[in-house]
Amino acid sequence: MCAWVVLSWPWLSGSVTIPFDAKAHFQAQIQFLAQALHSGQSPFWTHNVFGGSPQVADPQSLIFSPAILLALISPSPSFREVDVYVLLHLLGGGLGVLMFARQRGWHPAAGLLAALVFAFGASAAWRVQHVGQIASFGFFGLSLWLTARMLDRGTIGAGILAGLAAGFMVLEPDQVALLAAYVLVGMVVAHWLSGGMASLRASVKPIAAASIAGLAVIALPLLWTWLFAEASTRPAVDIVEAGRGSLHPLSLITAFVADLFGARDPKVDFWGPYSPAWHAGELYLSQNMGQVYAGALPFLLLIAPGLSRGWLWDRAIRPFSIMLLLMVLFALGRYTPFFHFAYEFLPGIKAFRRPADATFLIGGLGAIVSGYLLHRLLSEEKPVAILREVAVALAAALLIAGLSLLMASQRGHFADALVPSLSAVGWAVASLAVLAVIARRRGLAAPLLASLLVCGLVGADLAVNNGPNESTALAPELYDVLRPETRNETVALLKTLTAQPAGSPRRDRIELLGMGFEWPNAGLVHGFDHTLGYNPLRLAEFSAAVGTRDSIAAPEERVFTPLFPSYHCRLADLLGLRFIASRVPIGQVDRGLHDGDLRLVARTRDGYVYENPRALPRAMFVSGWQMADFDAMTTTGQWPESDPRQVVLLESEPPMASPQGAGPGRGEVRLTRYRNTQIEIDVSADRAGFVLLNDIWHPWWRAEVDGVPAEILKANVLFRAVQVPAGTHKVRFSFHPVEGAIAELRERVEEKLEPQSEVATAPGRGPSGSPATRLGLEPPEPRQLPVEDQRAASPRFQ
């Protein structure tokens, strides 16, 4: 606990904050969650990014994580509070490993070593900004202990606890959770193999209880996530794209030489395998993702006595040694055949894009294995000939340091690698000295002395080599725009410009065009509706039509489409995209604009703010209708000849048939209620027509007209329309994720059961994949920025 406080203190004190994804994505998500709960709203849908998105189905929305507790406590969680929330997962995982060691009867110094390395080694330290994966990893530590406890005790109660922990581990489904689940399965299989039929029979009831408890936690959230993913821009990742997220074999050297490539030293331009000098187009990892340093002592223990005496193959630790090796092979991705095997045959692997995510498990399993080796070393009845092991480990350390310098010299970076290599040797010497001392002491005070020395040495090692750096700790002021109380003039201006009186049918959208890495999800914090955002999961139909990518940090990341070829287009007007804030003059991004298409409203310290005077209201009454082929429109960008203020385009006939074409009717609409999951519109019209809501269509929304259920028609490619008779009516839209997901699942099952020739193609999707895929609008191959531009756009830290 003390070591956790000391190693976490830079963040706990508030002097630095966890940057990049932790702020640009997850801070905004938690802020939205807190504001929704404290304003009496549901957080299950947001209008603030990508034209609308089902938060309840987004695994990164944190709704089903312990973050819900922070959101309930604080209406506006601060940067420090969110950082503490993240670091508490590492504390919980470390304590789980400590309890695992205690249950196995390990030497206390060995348990401390395993806990410290688990919580602050490898990706647990270097990728702390990936909040969801940190949460999965923390729960993995607890699940590891509770699964071992379940197998040892064989009780139903122990099984329920293990199942709950594993359920929370995979509740935010990511590749760390998936691989950790395979590790837990491996533990169970190893238990059966070692104990035979007797152990299998004894574990049936607790495992059944664990399965029921786990499924109770994850069933509905995983159904939502699966349906969302199927309709998203990334229903699966092909093996070529996944291979670009492989760990380069030479990155394994950082297991001993911590900062060999300059990932931590801001004075050194990163020169490792993911830099431009190393064929950057072949691999796409940021520099921190290749760091696997977990301390000198754990690494040397794997060599001697782990390899030198064969203790890695001890029956007690053999399953973990095997799984550690498999995780290394998996992380190497395209460089070994194992990843290709896993991709083809292990369920779930095709859903994720980075085999290098296995570095979390390399650190976690390395912690367990090295802890066991120290335990055996200190628990042998007859003291081990420690000097022999020290000599072997020291020789290995010198050899690796020498090879590192040789490789650096060949690439012209000898001077950059010299200090890290000498530092690695220094930590190795200190570790071996401590090992020699504690291995020879056998008195009553020896466990206490060993625990203090190991904790002090490993804690200092990890603090120096895995401590705060430009990947994991930056000044909080850099993310001021994500504070609800920010005084940023651009945010204040946009809030003023988009404010509307009560009942107005307008709710203008904005676009934050290349304003910086921290800007795309600012709408979640400040309540304005952004056409784009920052999220790897986005609804495919919206992405195909509008041209979204994972983020919009830089102006050149804006992608135009056939249906959205310019900011002067019908789709921009229907979206109600009225204001565009850009870091550069808009003409540098949209070459199709002419004088007068957009009006410059203001120039702020952040950039330029433009107005689209043609932007339409969010709610409209339209009397006429016309059939249209939305797929063809998305592909060609050709709209039928019609006035969007008089005619709504539909892909199927409306329930109350009427002649196609523009009608003479007039109507007035008032947007009387606009909440996250509830929208109410009052309409008065002299003839029948359609209430058009320019919010993205989604199958989980339901509508009522004067309290009577009504069909929501997909309108104008992306939006919602409800047919209403003449007169005065109240139209109510509400979001029903449970009912909607079950209905969608039922439709999918029925389609599977029908003969293939009779299965209708779902609107907006064809046999060739998502609309984004058919149009070639999936994110292109990642572009490696010059070193001097990396800090600005931050792809190296994503």
Side-chain angles (χ1 to χ4, degrees):
M1 294 282 289
C2 292
W4 176 83
V5 171
V6 171
L7 292 172
S8 302
W9 185 250
W11 297 276
L12 300 180
S13 68
S15 60
V16 295
T17 192
I18 304 173
F20 303 111
D21 283 17
K23 292 296 168 288
H25 188 41
F26 292 102
Q27 179 77 34
Q29 295 284 358
I30 292 180
Q31 187 65 51
F32 172 81
L33 180 59
Q35 290 177 346
L37 295 175
H38 286 269
S39 63
Q41 298 192 63
S42 165
F44 286 178
W45 180 275
T46 180
H47 304 283
N48 304 132
V49 291
F50 297 117
S53 184
Q55 290 287 93
V56 71
D58 186 348
Q60 300 184 88
S61 68
L62 305 178
I63 292 175
F64 300 105
S65 74
I68 191 75
L69 301 176
L70 175 59
L72 286 169
I73 294 170
S74 173
S76 180
S78 68
F79 291 177
R80 185 192 299 187
E81 289 171 342
V82 175
D83 290 351
V84 171
Y85 159 79
V86 176
L87 294 167
L88 282 173
H89 284 90
L90 296 179
L91 175 63
L95 291 176
V97 170
L98 195 63
M99 293 301 293
F100 173 83
R102 182 177 183 270
Q103 181 172 312
R104 294 293 176 98
W106 287 5
H107 191 285
L112 273 172
L113 172 69
L116 279 172
V117 172
F118 184 93
F120 295 101
S123 288
W126 280 93
R127 294 178 61 180
V128 70
Q129 66 270 44
H130 293 165
V131 173
Q133 292 180 318
I134 289 292
S136 298
F137 187 64
F139 276 108
F140 168 58
L142 293 171
S143 301
L144 187 80
W145 161 48
L146 291 172
T147 299
R149 182 173 177 268
M150 171 191 72
L151 296 174
D152 287 348
R153 296 193 175 188
T155 64
I156 292 178
I160 291 174
L161 290 177
L164 291 174
F168 279 106
M169 180 184 75
V170 301
L171 201 51
E172 299 174 66
D174 52 56
Q175 190 157 222
V176 173
L178 177 65
L179 295 175
Y182 279 122
V183 170
L184 298 182
V185 171
M187 289 177 61
V188 173
V189 172
H191 177 76
W192 289 343
L193 293 176
S194 64
M197 289 300 299
S199 64
L200 192 154
R201 285 192 295 268
S203 64
V204 168
K205 289 183 179 179
I207 289 176
S211 301
I212 293 171
L215 286 173
V217 171
I218 68 173
L220 194 54
L222 282 189
L223 172 62
W224 281 325
T225 298
W226 174 67
L227 292 173
F228 180 33
E230 286 292 298
S232 77
T233 54
R234 189 174 288 161
V237 178
D238 66 69
I239 194 166
V240 175
E241 182 182 349
R244 293 193 180 103
S246 302
L247 185 74
H248 194 282
L250 287 177
S251 288
L252 295 175
I253 299 177
T254 63
F256 178 68
V257 185
D259 197 27
L260 175 62
F261 300 115
R264 190 172 188 275
D265 190 348
K267 299 177 183 177
V268 176
D269 288 333
F270 179 71
W271 59 277
Y274 320 107
S275 64
W278 289 66
H279 308 293
E282 297 180 6
L283 295 176
Y284 186 55
L285 291 182
S286 52
Q287 61 185 46
N288 57 310
M289 292 182 184
Q291 297 295 114
V292 292
Y293 188 76
L297 180 58
F299 180 81
L300 295 173
L301 284 169
L302 295 178
I303 297 173
L307 287 173
S308 64
R309 289 183 173 267
W311 288 0
L312 286 172
W313 203 244
D314 283 1
R315 184 176 180 181
I317 202 64
R318 188 183 306 163
F320 293 95
S321 298
I322 293 173
M323 288 188 286
L324 173 59
L325 175 61
L326 293 178
M327 288 301 162
V328 172
L329 295 176
F330 185 93
L332 294 175
R334 59 190 291 179
Y335 296 102
T336 74
F338 178 72
F339 174 71
H340 190 276
F341 169 83
Y343 181 88
E344 294 295 340
F345 298 106
L346 291 184
I349 300 299
K350 292 182 180 180
F352 301 102
R353 59 177 173 169
R354 276 192 302 258
D357 288 344
T359 52
F360 278 95
L361 280 302
I362 290 173
L365 293 171
I368 299 296
V369 174
S370 61
Y372 169 80
L373 295 172
L374 181 61
H375 156 69
R376 181 167 176 187
L377 188 69
L378 299 180
S379 303
E380 290 283 293
E381 293 184 5
K382 184 178 181 180
V384 176
I386 192 63
L387 293 181
R388 173 182 174 273
E389 307 307 323
V390 167
V392 172
L394 183 59
L398 293 173
L399 177 61
I400 295 172
L403 292 175
S404 300
L405 290 173
L406 178 62
M407 182 266 295
S409 177
Q410 291 175 343
R411 291 192 168 269
H413 288 276
F414 180 85
D416 294 332
L418 182 59
V419 172
S421 299
L422 293 177
S423 175
V425 173
W427 284 108
V429 171
S431 300
L432 293 174
V434 167
L435 200 60
V437 170
I438 62 178
R440 293 187 172 191
R441 297 295 296 266
R442 286 293 191 270
L444 292 176
L448 177 60
L449 175 65
S451 299
L452 292 175
L453 286 176
V454 167
C455 189
L457 172 72
V458 176
D461 186 356
L462 295 176
V464 170
N465 292 301
N466 283 4
N469 59 74
E470 63 176 353
S471 297
T472 60
L474 292 177
E477 292 73 24
L478 294 175
Y479 298 93
D480 177 69
V481 70
L482 295 174
R483 290 183 168 122
E485 67 277 11
T486 182
R487 296 183 179 180
N488 180 277
E489 62 174 323
T490 305
V491 170
L493 175 64
L494 291 173
K495 285 184 174 181
T496 300
L497 291 173
T498 55
Q500 295 291 334
S504 170
R506 301 198 70 91
R507 185 180 167 95
D508 296 321
R509 284 191 170 93
I510 66 165
E511 185 164 309
L512 301 170
L513 177 59
M515 299 289 285
F517 185 75
E518 68 275 17
W519 278 84
N521 280 350
L524 291 169
V525 177
H526 300 294
F528 42 67
D529 296 349
H530 186 196
T531 52
L532 305 178
Y534 177 26
N535 200 323
L537 281 181
R538 308 170 304 285
L539 292 170
E541 291 183 350
F542 184 81
S543 183
V546 179
T548 70
R549 296 179 65 180
D550 284 7
S551 185
I552 185 68
E556 58 268 24
E557 292 177 357
R558 185 53 165 108
V559 176
F560 293 106
T561 71
L563 206 60
F564 196 117
S566 165
Y567 290 110
H568 185 191
C569 71
R570 184 182 295 191
L571 184 54
D573 299 344
L574 284 167
L575 281 165
L577 176 53
R578 189 172 181 183
F579 300 103
I580 299 124
S582 174
R583 195 174 70 187
V584 300
I586 197 71
Q588 295 182 18
V589 179
D590 186 351
R591 306 289 183 180
L593 289 174
H594 299 91
D595 291 342
D597 287 347
L598 299 180
R599 183 172 67 88
L600 180 63
V601 175
R603 172 77 189 273
T604 69
R605 286 190 294 269
D606 303 301
Y608 306 81
V609 179
Y610 298 89
E611 181 183 11
N612 170 19
R614 301 168 304 280
L616 295 171
R618 185 69 58 92
M620 304 166 58
F621 174 79
V622 178
S623 58
W625 69 280
Q626 183 175 334
M627 291 285 286
D629 184 339
F630 291 166
D631 277 350
M633 290 172 60
T634 303
T635 303
T636 64
Q638 297 297 315
W639 292 79
E641 291 293 334
S642 61
D643 184 345
R645 290 164 294 190
Q646 298 182 6
V647 174
V648 61
L649 302 179
L650 303 176
E651 61 181 357
S652 59
E653 289 192 9
M656 295 179 285
S658 59
Q660 294 190 51
R666 298 176 61 85
E668 178 184 349
V669 296
R670 297 180 68 248
L671 197 55
T672 57
R673 181 181 176 86
Y674 196 93
R675 311 278 274 181
N676 291 338
T677 58
Q678 295 182 354
I679 300 169
E680 294 181 1
I681 301 171
D682 290 345
V683 56
S684 296
D686 59 5
R687 61 168 289 175
F690 302 85
V691 170
L692 176 62
L693 178 63
N694 289 319
D695 276 342
I696 189 168
W697 182 92
H698 191 275
W700 301 349
W701 280 89
R702 300 290 183 264
E704 296 176 349
V705 177
D706 299 328
V708 178
E711 181 182 357
I712 300 179
L713 304 169
K714 183 182 284 189
N716 296 335
V717 182
L718 291 177
F719 307 110
R720 311 175 205 164
V722 172
Q723 196 170 19
V724 294
T728 299
H729 306 281
K730 180 179 288 292
V731 180
R732 183 175 186 269
F733 294 87
S734 54
F735 187 59
H736 296 265
V738 176
E739 175 189 340
I742 292 174
E744 186 177 352
L745 180 64
R746 185 187 306 117
E747 290 176 4
R748 287 173 177 267
V749 171
E750 290 174 353
E751 286 181 358
K752 292 290 185 182
L753 295 178
E754 292 176 7
Q756 188 64 35
S757 60
E758 299 178 7
V759 177
T761 301
R765 302 185 68 85
S768 58
S770 72
T773 302
R774 295 199 306 274
L775 285 172
L777 293 175
E778 291 294 327
E781 291 189 10
R783 172 181 51 83
Q784 181 71 33
L785 296 181
V787 172
E788 61 270 15
D789 294 339
Q790 288 181 348
R791 287 186 177 85
S794 308
R796 64 193 282 203
F797 303 118
Q798 287 179 11

